[in-house]
Amino acid sequence: MNPLQDLLVLVLGDMTDSALTRYLESLGARVSTDIADVDRASFMIDDLGAERLAKQGWSRERIDLINPGLIQVSVTPFGGEGPRSSWKGSELVASAAGGVLRLTGDEDRPPVKEALDACTFHAEMVAAAGAMAAHYQRGRSGRGQHVDVSIQEVALSRNFSGVLMWQFDRRKLHRVGNALNYGKATVRCIWALKDGWCFHSLMSGRFGAPANQALSDWMDESGAENPLQGVDWLSYNRSTLAADIRAEWEKAIAAFFSTRTKAEISSEGRRRGINAAVVAEPEDVLKDEHLKQRGFWNDIAGLKTPSRFVSIRESKHEVQIDAREGERPGPLSGIRVLDFSWALVGSITTKTLGDLGAEVIKVESATRPCLSRIDVQVSASKPDSFDDKPWFAHLNTSKRSLALDMKKPVSREILDPLIKWADVVVENFSPGTMHKLGLDYDSLQKINPAIVMVSGSVYGQTGPLANEWGVDGTGGALSGRTYLTGWPDRDPVIPGSVPYGDVIVPFVMAATVGAALAHRQSQGRGCHIDASMYEICVQQMAPAILASQTGDRPARDGNQDRAIRFQKVVAAKGEDQWVAVTAATQAELDRLQGVLGEDDLDTWCADKRPADVVEIMQRDGIAAGVVQDIEEVLADPQIAARQALIELDHPLLGAFGHLRTPMDFSDGPLQPYRAPGLGEHNLWVAQRIANLDAQNIERLMQAGVFR
């Protein structure tokens, strides 16, 4: 299924080989770089911004006169409006200004950039979601519009943990090298092996218990020292474990992993079900049997390139789709979403759809609560409440909550009407779970032939690894991303509290849902979308994958970029104060040298405040940005101008800033509303959608269905 078959995309600026262009092509779109095609293009994508395009004679007003249905998508370092919209940026500078760079690297060295174009790739997937939502809306209204995305704001949107720490406890997260920072705990996750490294972390509660026990058993059987013996893993909480106990555990785990090889982690570790993945090099990815069996690669002139962002199976049923008017603003107004998701991937997907105007009902249960309802990260939250977690509130705006025990057969009295009601079903359980519940795509089609279903998982729904364990760090480790992040003379590192796979996959899922809805609107067919975190992370690594086949073996380069003339993170005046500077070309490097005079960059910056350094450089057209911490990002005038934080009132937590879905539409702003309490809308769903009377609702309550 190619939902954008033969639609034309006009590409301007340096977007020809961009991830956004590749994504649109993967859905069947054709690409042109000739501005003369503006009159017949369906989309125009650029990294120039509306202001620069207007100066070149291409204002939105002129575009509307020539092609009123054109959807224009701009992805720029700071966005199209605001006091710093005209600042010169780069991947490194946007990462610095957005707060990601500050949290990546070792404490005793400068912050270090993530592999390749991590923040830009994320922003382009956000842009894809905006473009496809606008595409769906155009199918109903006939109008195009402008979608504007700021890489800086998208970078900030990843750091929801940092935002929460600062808002609620006035604490700041710090870069922690090979670990993840969960607010009250720093949990190591990169471990040296005999011949490389692996990713592994101990996860909380029911989700992590089997894998944690599997590691403990393996340590016992190998004769290793094991302080993990006898731990009740169901009650283990990574956020509240005492620091001295964690230190003892991690010392023993490090000693154990140092005796293992990459081959053992890939074979015996997987067989045992421990939460571990080898930190692969890009050339290792090319040999992966799972990707091969899923048909992931294109072979072009003997070189392998990623073929797709998602796999789509189109329905054989053709149905009449009637347009439905919605009550909420947004390009997806009128769309109904049934949300079976949990944790980050599914929650952010449905948050995005809901913020874009769709009506979302989240099906959840106290018997298997979302991790974000139980992870205590701030002082305002308590372990015995499901409704006082600001993490959940951030990730679940614009939704209603139905508490339902789906293991009870009578729950179908609620579920079946919901399936008929829905346009979209979203889930991110382990493959096979929805089938066990009788809610797989083939089963859903029997109830609602027009349904669009999207499944997100680490490895995808098929292939030899489909049912294996995996979390956010798994995709990064296996794709080569982790291997290429850090310094050449040290172990790899990962961003301390800013997940990657967990936040890019949702926007790919949301984008493809938008494209599928537009396709369904015109063709009358639903589909099943299979999104694999591993594959999407490999898409971000595409340049390194290609380089590894042409004799240019990728390696960790710190803050250098082989495609950029000069780039560095330098110390400025003050403790742990840094500035990111990029000179992409020789001409830009010459301008930088003109500013420095006879000094080198380190000497020139050392006695100057970071903000002063950046102001001077930006005046001379040099890409530079303060490496901002969370307090500085939230006070950034450009972030404020884009209203990146929207204050919503919460019944238990009070009013606080929620990170918005980071995109602007020329048709008008999105209007999210607060996240629900667990089961807050049980009665509403039972009455309004299942059409049950009071007697039947009481019967289901007595049967324990609503929990």
Side-chain angles (χ1 to χ4, degrees):
M1 172 177 163
N2 293 308
L4 302 184
Q5 187 70 48
D6 294 329
L7 296 183
L8 185 64
V9 180
L10 177 59
V11 179
L12 303 180
D14 294 325
M15 298 285 282
T16 305
D17 296 321
S18 69
L20 178 56
T21 302
R22 299 201 317 270
Y23 172 78
L24 298 175
E25 287 183 300
S26 77
L27 297 184
R30 296 180 295 113
V31 169
S32 169
T33 57
D34 186 351
I35 192 66
D37 287 328
V38 69
D39 61 335
R40 61 191 189 93
S42 292
F43 304 93
M44 180 170 78
I45 64 175
D46 69 84
D47 56 2
L48 305 172
E51 184 177 340
R52 287 178 64 187
L53 281 172
K55 289 178 179 178
Q56 296 176 17
W58 293 100
S59 65
R60 186 67 211 183
E61 291 75 18
R62 184 185 179 194
I63 291 170
D64 282 339
L65 286 173
I66 298 171
N67 185 350
L70 183 70
I71 293 169
Q72 178 187 358
V73 186
S74 299
V75 183
T76 56
F78 296 98
E81 295 182 354
R84 295 177 176 174
S85 61
S86 61
W87 272 23
K88 192 170 182 61
S90 66
E91 165 68 25
L92 183 71
V93 167
S95 176
V100 170
L101 186 60
R102 181 85 176 196
L103 299 177
T104 312
D106 300 312
E107 289 183 287
D108 63 337
R109 285 195 180 179
V112 66
K113 75 181 290 288
E114 301 166 275
L116 304 184
D117 61 346
C119 294
T120 302
F121 185 93
H122 183 192
E124 291 183 12
M125 295 303 96
V126 171
M132 293 301 96
H135 175 46
Y136 168 76
Q137 185 180 37
R138 175 177 58 187
R140 298 174 59 186
S141 69
R143 301 191 314 273
Q145 61 177 307
H146 184 209
V147 182
D148 180 64
V149 174
S150 154
I151 303 173
Q152 178 198 22
E153 184 188 358
V154 171
L156 167 63
S157 74
R158 287 167 60 193
N159 191 10
F160 42 82
S161 290
V163 170
L164 298 179
M165 296 304 106
W166 179 247
Q167 286 191 107
F168 283 88
D169 292 346
R170 284 298 185 260
R171 290 187 287 121
K172 295 180 182 179
L173 303 178
H174 303 280
R175 58 188 182 279
V176 286
N178 58 13
L180 295 170
N181 199 256
Y182 291 105
K184 294 183 177 180
T186 298
V187 181
R188 182 173 173 182
C189 60
I190 302 295
W191 310 85
L193 304 171
K194 271 186 177 182
D195 55 352
W197 299 271
C198 73
F199 168 89
H200 171 272
S201 65
L202 297 173
M203 302 293 290
S204 298
R206 181 176 298 180
F207 178 62
N212 299 345
Q213 186 60 55
L215 175 65
S216 179
D217 292 344
W218 196 7
M219 292 171 69
D220 281 340
E221 291 173 29
S222 70
E225 181 181 350
N226 183 15
L228 281 63
Q229 286 178 341
V231 172
D232 177 5
W233 293 112
L234 287 175
S235 63
Y236 163 70
N237 188 319
R238 66 188 179 190
S239 296
T240 57
L241 184 70
D244 58 336
I245 296 176
R246 182 171 302 285
E248 181 186 7
W249 288 7
E250 291 185 347
K251 181 180 178 182
I253 293 171
F256 171 73
F257 277 132
S258 70
T259 66
R260 305 293 109 178
T261 65
K262 291 193 293 184
E264 287 176 297
I265 297 299
S266 296
S267 56
E268 182 67 6
R270 277 183 183 156
R271 186 189 69 77
R272 291 174 174 271
I274 71 169
N275 174 24
V278 168
V279 174
E281 295 188 46
E283 62 184 28
D284 297 329
V285 180
L286 293 161
K287 304 170 187 174
D288 186 87
E289 187 63 25
H290 179 76
L291 296 178
K292 178 182 177 181
Q293 290 197 30
R294 277 178 57 84
F296 178 66
W297 300 108
N298 278 331
D299 194 316
I300 302 175
L303 296 176
K304 289 182 179 178
T305 59
S307 66
R308 60 162 187 265
F309 284 72
V310 297
S311 177
I312 308 175
R313 175 162 65 102
E314 186 175 25
S315 172
K316 297 178 181 178
H317 303 286
E318 186 172 333
V319 295
Q320 178 68 38
I321 304 297
D322 297 320
R324 184 190 307 113
E325 294 299 323
E327 298 178 358
R328 298 183 57 230
L332 296 185
S333 182
I335 290 297
R336 297 167 172 175
V337 178
L338 186 54
D339 175 12
F340 291 105
S341 68
W342 73 301
L344 271 68
V345 167
S347 294
I348 297 173
T349 302
T350 48
K351 166 190 167 63
T352 302
L353 299 174
D355 287 355
L356 287 167
E359 186 173 346
V360 180
I361 294 177
K362 185 178 185 71
V363 182
E364 50 183 339
S365 176
T367 64
R368 194 181 190 275
C370 178
L371 286 179
S372 61
R373 282 202 183 274
I374 63 175
D375 215 350
V376 179
Q377 298 193 54
V378 298
S379 56
S381 302
K382 301 294 183 288
D384 59 354
S385 172
F386 290 135
D387 296 331
D388 66 352
K389 308 302 185 297
W391 191 22
F392 180 89
H394 265 284
L395 299 174
N396 291 278
T397 55
S398 305
K399 304 178 189 181
R400 291 185 171 99
S401 171
L402 168 67
L404 198 69
D405 187 347
M406 292 188 291
K407 293 182 179 179
K408 292 185 178 295
V410 289
S411 68
R412 298 303 298 232
E413 294 183 39
I414 301 291
L415 283 175
D416 286 356
L418 278 170
I419 294 164
K420 293 177 182 177
W421 167 88
D423 298 294
V424 179
V425 168
V426 179
E427 64 94 9
N428 68 309
F429 293 123
S430 299
T433 302
M434 293 294 277
H435 177 74
K436 292 175 183 176
L437 294 169
L439 296 169
D440 56 293
Y441 179 59
D442 291 336
S443 298
L444 295 179
Q445 280 193 99
K446 294 175 182 177
I447 301 171
N448 183 349
I451 204 78
V452 170
M453 182 178 187
V454 57
S455 299
S457 61
V458 172
Y459 296 104
Q461 300 298 301
T462 63
L465 299 180
N467 294 310
E468 295 295 335
W469 174 278
V471 292
D472 175 75
T474 307
L478 292 176
S479 67
R481 168 181 154 76
T482 302
Y483 180 83
L484 292 180
T485 300
W487 303 100
D489 61 333
R490 288 195 176 178
D491 293 353
V493 299
I494 65 171
S497 67
V498 278
Y500 195 69
D502 276 346
V503 295
I504 57 170
V505 173
F507 289 102
V508 176
M509 290 169 66
T512 313
V513 164
L517 288 171
H519 179 80
R520 187 186 73 156
Q521 192 169 250
S522 63
Q523 303 298 318
R525 294 181 186 273
C527 65
H528 184 203
I529 301 161
D530 173 9
S532 157
M533 181 189 296
Y534 180 15
E535 292 177 354
I536 294 169
C537 284
V538 172
Q539 280 283 2
Q540 193 251 325
M541 298 306 298
I545 299 292
L546 182 61
S548 70
Q549 299 173 80
T550 57
D552 183 16
R553 182 183 179 185
R556 287 187 297 283
D557 289 329
N559 286 315
Q560 294 299 313
D561 186 318
R562 299 181 190 188
I564 288 175
R565 185 70 180 84
F566 174 85
Q567 187 161 264
K568 195 171 186 180
V569 174
V570 294
K573 184 178 182 180
E575 183 179 353
D576 202 27
Q577 298 295 300
W578 307 90
V579 173
V581 180
T582 300
T585 65
Q586 184 60 49
E588 291 177 2
L589 183 57
D590 291 342
R591 284 206 303 275
L592 173 60
Q593 196 57 58
V595 171
L596 301 179
E598 296 183 359
D599 287 333
D600 60 29
L601 184 59
D602 296 83
T603 303
W604 189 85
C605 290
D607 62 350
K608 296 178 179 65
R609 294 172 57 248
D612 294 338
V613 170
V614 171
E615 289 286 349
I616 293 169
M617 292 193 175
Q618 287 287 350
R619 280 201 303 267
D620 280 85
I622 299 164
V626 176
V627 181
Q628 300 192 115
D629 65 24
I630 196 62
E631 179 182 11
E632 293 165 328
V633 178
L634 294 181
D636 187 302
Q638 186 66 17
I639 290 295
R642 294 189 65 83
Q643 297 183 310
L645 228 59
I646 299 175
E647 187 170 282
L648 299 174
D649 198 12
H650 191 278
L652 296 181
L653 299 167
F656 68 98
H658 292 61
L659 288 164
R660 70 167 188 152
T661 291
M663 58 183 80
D664 284 333
F665 293 86
S666 58
D667 263 13
L670 306 180
Q671 296 182 23
Y673 60 88
R674 71 155 176 90
L678 180 63
E680 182 177 340
H681 302 97
N682 288 351
L683 191 60
W684 187 92
V685 172
Q687 292 175 333
R688 297 279 294 273
I689 298 178
N691 294 314
L692 296 176
D693 58 25
Q695 183 177 356
N696 279 310
I697 292 173
E698 178 62 27
R699 173 177 55 83
L700 292 179
M701 291 179 67
Q702 292 299 321
V705 168
F706 297 110
R707 66 187 184 97

